[in-house]
Amino acid sequence: MEKGTIYEGLVRRGVSRRDFLKFCATTAAVLGLSSSYVPKIAEAMEKKEKPVVVWLHFQDCTGCSESVLRATKPTIGQIVLDVVSLEYHETIMAAAGHQAEKSLHDAIKKYKGKYLVVVEGAIPTKDGGLYCCIGGRAAVDILKEVAKDAAAIIAIGTCATYGGIPAAKPNPTGAVGVRDIIKDKPVINLPGCPLNVENFTATVVYFLTFGKLPKTDNLGRPLFAHGILIHDNCERRGHFDTGEFAKSWGDKGHRLGWCLYELGCKGPFAYHNCPTIRWNDGTSWPVMAGHPCVACSEPKFWDANAPFYAGLQNKDSFFAKASKIGLGAMAVAGLTKKENKE
Amino acid sequence: MARLVIDPVTRIEGHLRCEAVVADGKVKDAYSSCTMWRGIEVIMKGRDPREAWVFVQRLCGVCTTVHAIASIRAVEDALKIKVPRNADLIRNLIMANQCVQDHVIHFYHLHALDWVDVVSALKADPAKTSELAKTISPWPNNSTTYFKAVQDKLKAFVERGQLGIFSNGYWGHPAYNLPPEANLMAVAHYLEALDWQKEVIKMMAMLGAKNPHPQTFLVGGMAIPIDPESQNAINAGTIAALNKYADMAIEFVEKVYIPDLLAVASFYKDWAKYGGNVNFLACGEYPEANGKMWLPAGIIKNKNLKEIYPVDHKKIQEYITRSYYKYSKGENAGLHPWDGETTPNYTGPKPPYEYLNVDGKYSWGKAPRYEDLPMEVGPLARVLVAYASGHKEVKEAVDMVMKKLGVGPEALFSTLGRTAARGIIALVTAYKTKDFINELAANIKKGDYTIANTEKWDPKTWPAEAKGMGWHDAPRGALSHYIVIKNKKIENYQMVVPSTWNLSPRDNKGVRGPVEEALVNTPVADSKQPLELLRTIHSFDPCMACGMHIVEVKEE
Ligand code: SF4
Ligand code: SF4
């Protein structure tokens, strides 16, 4: 069957050539690619068929889908109508019950070997996986079946990537992430609680442009989004280096945008691009709004980084010592720079 | 007799299964089942109460914020913390923004396709569509050219043969009543609402750092500072932006949502006969400066609008007779959330299965009861309680909607009434948002920059033991969180959420939950295409990830 290209779709929806190129440029920027890649991205979007996407919800809160609904470049309307062909997505599809099941089975048969699977939510494995059933079947069985003929899998949010909140201690349902179950397919991890839609779009466009998934670190996360510590890109870093810390909610330092380290900020432990892309079309991000980062992009952050409000200065860590001796000098010497490598 | 199964029920949050018995073109009996469990309450045990909100907010990413609010209120109640007015105002703004945005998304993206036939829109005459649209609203996108363009896009989409999210809908079903023109108008607004929702929610993103899952809540107040002299705090620029988003909300609800709701409803007036309930609970919301709630709390029993009872959380009990749990006091015991227990006890069929064993336990949701009665919660409960209490804004809005539809208030007790009530709440809340912004601006002008009460921030100031509960009348209805704190740690955490009330299975006496009850007698034209059931189920706006986590943890 003939399928439209993404560009045609966007034009049909009234997107101008100028806006289209802008979208390609923004995506290149999120991906950390130089502007010389913009024509290549544009070409792929103009020539390549829309990828078919099957979206599975397991032990999730739908926060990641909601995050995708907030997409601005392109908008969600454009994504679901033009950028991808979304064949199955429980939250927005028209069909229900048997008809919905039919959509799923039609898609994986018809686009065998070509479709992308997006997984949102963890997969319970305890007691045969009965803690999450859809259409009378356990999530773990559905995942295996749908993954079998997929081209690649995108695990979104910290639940689908590392088990997330259902896997927090004591993990009552034996929840795990996709990579714990699917071993023979390319699976990319886009963690975050929820995932930031810009990283999702960029991943899909990368796949379309280069025919493969972007480079990842040892946790399966794309380096373009998870290569640098929050702390190293944070707009408050200057205050950290000069030892200016907010000490209490609403105090002078808090109002003036000083470092949130002593209020519990986990930015020094989180590899995520929030400070550069922010959230909701660049509106804000936690540290910008005055609340510490909780490191939601890190596996097991629910246990490893809690209590969230405990300042790291109380912990016996490198940063604790650093904050005592005054970090300015150390930062200058490059001692606090941590890089995330493949 | 036919046994009908809808699983998954789509266009909701989470995993819901519905089984119904159909005979002579009508639903004879119905069972609603939650099919997923994460055990978040079990996970809460032993954690720092100040961060409970970060965890429980993840109960649901659609009604994001609501569990965070109920959680901080529960902890503040336990530790007897009074939050500064500015914090209440910022919270009010976040809640109101969430409420309006959520109701619009529900109407267009989760509910509309039960009433609107997308394929029929292809047959519409764009000129007539424009005429129709102009008679109901002064919205600028009302021209023939505009509707023609939408229709062309839709055509091109259909011609490609890839219907994507619209594939396998019940298109052409005999229960679809709208003329093609009304269908086209609604489809156009379905797409417009998709673009609108991501913009209007920036109010929450500004105050909450991000959406979904905002991250500026705080036990004792808010973590977002106020300082008109700083670029890193709520300042004059923030107030201007808040006003912009508030106006955007009002305009869309006034000129698109309400007119569409009335236009669609006028073709489906027979749905004022189906899907009703008799008992309602609203817990009140939006604290005002005088300490009262702007929308009142109250209980309605047996449809009697003449008598509104006060709400007392101590009268709530949860049953597990038909739920996958066991109680130490036996199968038929009812427990108040503070004394509840959570021991999973799955007795259902082993997956893959075809049918649930509906004669035994069949859901991960418990059955909450108020004075042993099932209660409907949500926009309809909120509207009925406010209307019966003589709430000015709600009364005016209800009267306007009833007059335009040519029906009396008794029509509210139905699927149609529930869907209309959601629009009414969205409208009055959108207006009210402006008051909250003005009050916040006035406080800043007076030099009041307080955002948090930090007296009890340090756990050393806490008593050895404390108990608290927090209400929040969330978009989907009354929500309550219960906490027991012991030695600075969470001893016990429990939530009774809107979908647990509405999607409740049968209780110890075999009494159906509100959705199950509402489904009885629904007409079914074609049991292979149970469109009519979806209308009633969706009118409750189920949110299942929440519904399933009603689990109690107790130190053994
Ligand atoms: S990762 Fe977070 S936002 Fe996404 S589904 Fe899980 S809890 Fe929700
Ligand atoms: S500790 Fe947090 S607020 Fe401070 S500089 Fe690092 S990331 Fe920014």
Side-chain angles (χ1 to χ4, degrees):
Chain A
M1 187 173 310
E2 219 248 316
K3 288 192 289 170
T5 69
I6 294 172
Y7 180 61
E8 282 167 15
L10 291 168
V11 168
R12 267 204 315 276
R13 301 250 304 137
V15 173
S16 69
R17 177 88 200 155
R18 202 169 149 261
D19 283 346
F20 169 66
L21 289 174
K22 238 208 237 149
F23 159 60
C24 298
T26 327
T27 311
V30 173
L31 285 166
L33 298 172
S34 76
S35 54
S36 59
Y37 279 95
V38 175
K40 192 158 173 94
I41 292 176
E43 197 194 314
M45 311 273 288
E46 277 165 342
K47 300 236 172 90
K48 301 229 172 112
E49 289 175 345
K50 297 195 281 182
V52 168
V53 171
V54 168
W55 196 298
L56 301 175
H57 288 259
F58 296 133
Q59 277 178 311
D60 69 333
C61 72
T62 316
C64 294
S65 276
E66 285 287 329
S67 184
V68 172
L69 276 178
R70 308 291 180 263
T72 47
K73 301 172 227 109
T75 66
I76 182 64
Q78 291 159 352
I79 292 179
V80 302
L81 299 182
D82 308 314
V83 177
V84 300
S85 185
L86 189 54
E87 297 295 311
Y88 184 85
H89 186 297
E90 284 182 50
T91 325
I92 51 178
M93 67 194 303
H98 296 310
Q99 300 277 103
E101 298 281 275
K102 184 175 177 318
S103 293
L104 178 62
H105 290 117
D106 288 354
I108 62 178
K109 231 166 77 205
K110 196 154 137 203
Y111 303 105
K112 193 171 169 178
K114 287 196 210 141
Y115 59 90
L116 283 174
V117 180
V118 175
V119 181
E120 177 174 359
I123 304 103
T125 55
K126 208 174 128 186
D127 301 328
L130 59 84
Y131 296 98
C132 180
C133 291
I134 300 142
R137 297 177 58 217
V140 53
D141 298 334
I142 299 175
L143 174 63
K144 282 184 190 155
E145 184 199 327
V146 174
K148 199 171 142 259
D149 291 321
I153 301 172
I154 307 178
I156 62 166
T158 305
C159 299
T161 50
Y162 311 120
I165 194 162
K169 271 178 204 148
N171 194 351
T173 60
V176 298
V178 175
R179 279 187 169 210
D180 295 311
I181 292 173
I182 305 298
K183 312 268 186 197
D184 58 347
K185 287 275 159 185
V187 179
I188 194 160
N189 283 338
L190 299 180
C193 193
L195 120 129
N196 192 324
V197 62
E198 308 230 12
N199 292 334
F200 174 72
T201 320
T203 303
V204 173
V205 170
Y206 187 105
F207 180 76
L208 214 76
T209 309
F210 303 113
K212 56 176 187 184
L213 292 169
K215 264 198 188 159
T216 63
D217 65 4
N218 58 354
L219 295 167
R221 308 177 292 190
L223 286 168
F224 75 80
H226 300 276
I228 300 173
L229 279 178
I230 294 246
H231 184 63
D232 286 340
N233 270 338
C234 178
E235 64 241 30
R236 300 191 178 200
R237 178 58 183 268
H239 295 291
F240 177 88
D241 290 349
T242 47
E244 288 177 323
F245 300 105
K247 309 247 178 212
S248 173
W249 311 104
D251 72 3
K252 178 177 159 226
H254 191 227
R255 296 205 308 273
L256 293 181
W258 290 1
C259 172
L260 301 173
Y261 182 72
E262 296 195 0
L263 290 173
C265 187
K266 303 293 183 281
F269 291 144
Y271 290 94
H272 210 175
N273 54 354
C274 301
T276 45
I277 60 168
R278 298 179 184 168
W279 288 80
N280 301 87
D281 197 17
T283 303
S284 191
W285 69 287
V287 168
M288 180 175 165
H291 191 280
C293 161
V294 297
C296 75
S297 56
E298 303 308 305
K300 311 279 169 244
F301 79 96
W302 291 108
D303 295 312
N305 293 318
F308 296 133
Y309 295 107
L312 295 174
Q313 74 278 9
N314 300 326
K315 283 193 177 172
D316 185 26
S317 69
F318 164 76
F319 283 91
K321 284 175 213 131
S323 82
K324 274 180 209 131
I325 6 176
L327 261 178
M330 300 183 74
V332 173
L335 286 174
T336 66
K337 198 99 183 156
K338 273 205 197 162
E339 249 182 272
N340 191 13
K341 299 241 172 62
E342 280 167 67
Chain B
M1 283 257 237
R3 176 116 167 238
L4 183 158
V5 178
I6 311 179
D7 184 3
V9 174
T10 50
R11 280 182 281 127
I12 63 161
E13 194 292 320
H15 304 291
L16 171 66
R17 172 184 180 101
C18 175
E19 293 195 11
V21 180
V22 177
D24 312 322
K26 262 191 195 165
V27 174
K28 293 282 175 233
D29 208 347
Y31 302 84
S32 72
S33 166
C34 307
T35 58
M36 188 265 271
W37 185 70
R38 290 181 294 179
I40 291 194
E41 294 79 353
V42 180
I43 292 166
M44 296 315 297
K45 195 168 128 173
R47 299 191 187 254
D48 183 337
R50 295 171 301 173
E51 65 183 27
W53 72 264
V54 187
F55 285 79
V56 296
Q57 172 159 251
R58 270 71 187 182
L59 242 69
C60 182
V62 176
C63 29
T64 186
T65 82
V66 308
H67 296 286
I69 296 270
S71 176
I72 49 177
R73 285 177 171 172
V75 180
E76 286 159 0
D77 180 51
L79 300 174
K80 307 207 168 35
I81 300 172
K82 192 176 162 7
V83 305
R85 181 64 187 153
N86 284 339
D88 261 342
L89 285 168
I90 298 169
R91 291 177 186 179
N92 282 356
L93 284 168
I94 291 178
M95 290 186 282
N97 185 230
Q98 164 73 13
C99 172
V100 176
Q101 189 242 19
D102 191 71
H103 285 351
V104 171
I105 292 187
H106 178 265
F107 180 73
Y108 287 101
H109 308 123
L110 305 181
H111 201 20
L113 302 182
D114 301 335
W115 313 99
V116 172
D117 185 337
V118 177
V119 173
S120 141
L122 296 172
K123 291 188 281 221
D125 173 350
K128 278 200 203 141
T129 311
S130 160
E131 263 168 51
L132 166 73
K134 281 181 187 150
T135 57
I136 64 169
S137 167
W139 186 241
N141 288 342
N142 265 348
S143 65
T144 307
T145 345
Y146 173 73
F147 288 115
K148 171 94 178 38
V150 172
Q151 196 182 39
D152 286 347
K153 279 174 209 164
L154 194 64
K155 263 189 196 145
F157 187 67
V158 173
E159 276 160 16
R160 292 268 171 217
Q162 275 189 308
L163 273 171
I165 52 167
F166 296 132
S167 56
N168 291 324
Y170 299 137
W171 316 128
H173 191 286
Y176 279 122
N177 280 353
L178 296 183
E181 285 69 28
N183 282 320
L184 178 58
M185 183 178 77
V187 171
H189 294 161
Y190 175 105
L191 297 173
E192 277 185 59
L194 268 185
D195 283 346
W196 171 88
Q197 53 87 24
K198 70 176 193 338
E199 288 303 313
V200 79
I201 203 66
K202 285 181 184 166
M203 175 183 286
M204 184 195 294
M206 291 188 78
L207 299 173
K210 65 184 174 87
N211 163 280
H213 297 331
Q215 199 165 316
T216 54
F217 291 111
L218 196 72
V219 166
M222 291 298 291
I224 181 164
I226 298 176
D227 190 340
E229 314 302 330
S230 170
Q231 283 303 304
N232 293 291
I234 292 177
N235 55 26
T238 320
I239 299 289
L242 295 178
N243 273 312
K244 179 177 109 185
Y245 298 123
D247 292 339
M248 186 186 276
I250 292 174
E251 202 191 11
F252 197 85
V253 174
E254 250 184 4
K255 296 189 181 153
V256 185
Y257 178 16
I258 296 291
D260 282 357
L261 173 69
L262 292 171
V264 172
S266 67
F267 288 95
Y268 289 104
K269 283 197 213 162
D270 49 331
W271 280 82
K273 292 195 297 244
Y274 308 118
N277 266 307
V278 299
N279 304 318
F280 299 86
L281 183 160
C283 64
E285 197 44 272
Y286 303 107
E288 296 266 35
N290 62 12
K292 292 216 175 93
M293 289 290 179
W294 174 58
L295 292 172
I299 302 275
I300 292 171
K301 289 184 199 164
N302 216 3
K303 286 194 188 181
N304 181 3
L305 294 183
K306 299 226 170 60
E307 194 155 15
I308 303 292
Y309 300 90
V311 180
D312 175 3
H313 78 80
K314 300 219 174 68
K315 295 181 174 172
I316 296 173
Q317 287 194 314
E318 292 194 294
Y319 294 92
I320 49 94
T321 319
R322 309 297 286 275
S323 318
Y324 299 134
Y325 301 98
K326 58 179 163 214
Y327 277 172
S328 57
K329 287 184 180 162
E331 282 300 292
N332 291 320
L335 298 178
H336 179 271
W338 274 335
D339 308 314
E341 294 171 14
T342 298
T343 318
N345 176 26
Y346 185 81
T347 56
K350 205 169 158 272
Y353 52 79
E354 211 178 326
Y355 294 111
L356 291 172
N357 173 18
V358 291
D359 298 327
K361 294 176 182 285
Y362 61 90
S363 181
W364 282 110
K366 287 183 181 175
R369 296 292 183 262
Y370 187 92
E371 289 179 338
D372 270 343
L373 296 171
M375 290 280 152
E376 170 170 346
V377 299
L380 180 55
R382 216 167 304 152
V383 161
L384 288 171
V385 169
Y387 185 80
S389 316
H391 189 275
K392 190 171 160 279
E393 295 99 311
V394 170
K395 206 168 172 315
E396 277 171 18
V398 170
D399 291 341
M400 177 271 286
V401 166
M402 296 295 119
K403 199 172 147 218
K404 292 217 168 133
L405 289 178
V407 293
E410 69 287 347
L412 282 167
F413 296 93
S414 67
T415 297
L416 187 74
R418 197 171 293 118
T419 297
R422 190 167 289 111
I424 289 166
I425 287 292
L427 183 68
V428 297
T429 309
Y431 290 138
K432 186 67 183 174
T433 310
K434 294 289 276 189
D435 290 353
F436 298 142
I437 300 174
N438 291 338
E439 197 187 332
L440 182 63
N443 281 357
I444 300 176
K445 200 171 158 202
K446 279 190 295 199
D448 176 3
Y449 307 162
T450 326
I451 45 139
N453 173 350
T454 52
E455 278 165 36
K456 298 268 177 67
W457 181 253
D458 188 342
K460 286 192 208 94
T461 62
W462 301 353
E465 241 175 280
K467 254 201 236 197
M469 77 84 59
W471 283 111
H472 168 39
D473 217 334
R476 290 171 175 82
L479 163 67
S480 51
H481 283 211
Y482 303 77
I483 190 167
V484 178
I485 303 171
K486 207 171 165 185
N487 301 326
K488 335 280 180 217
K489 297 251 172 353
I490 297 174
E491 163 88 353
N492 189 349
Y493 204 98
Q494 167 99 1
M495 308 167 241
V496 183
V497 315
S499 295
T500 320
W501 285 105
N502 288 338
L503 278 297
S504 149
R506 281 149 170 79
D507 58 22
N508 56 327
K509 294 184 213 128
V511 176
R512 294 184 192 100
V515 167
E516 296 179 333
E517 184 62 34
L519 285 172
V520 175
N521 282 330
T522 303
V524 182
D526 172 0
S527 56
K528 295 225 163 49
Q529 302 205 329
L531 175 64
E532 299 92 336
L533 270 81
L534 288 179
R535 287 181 176 166
T536 294
I537 297 174
H538 282 146
S539 73
F540 283 90
D541 193 4
C543 194
M544 304 314 294
C546 315
M548 253 102 11
H549 304 108
I550 312 323
V551 208
E552 172 85 359
V553 196
K554 250 190 151 178
E555 203 83 66
E556 309 271 291

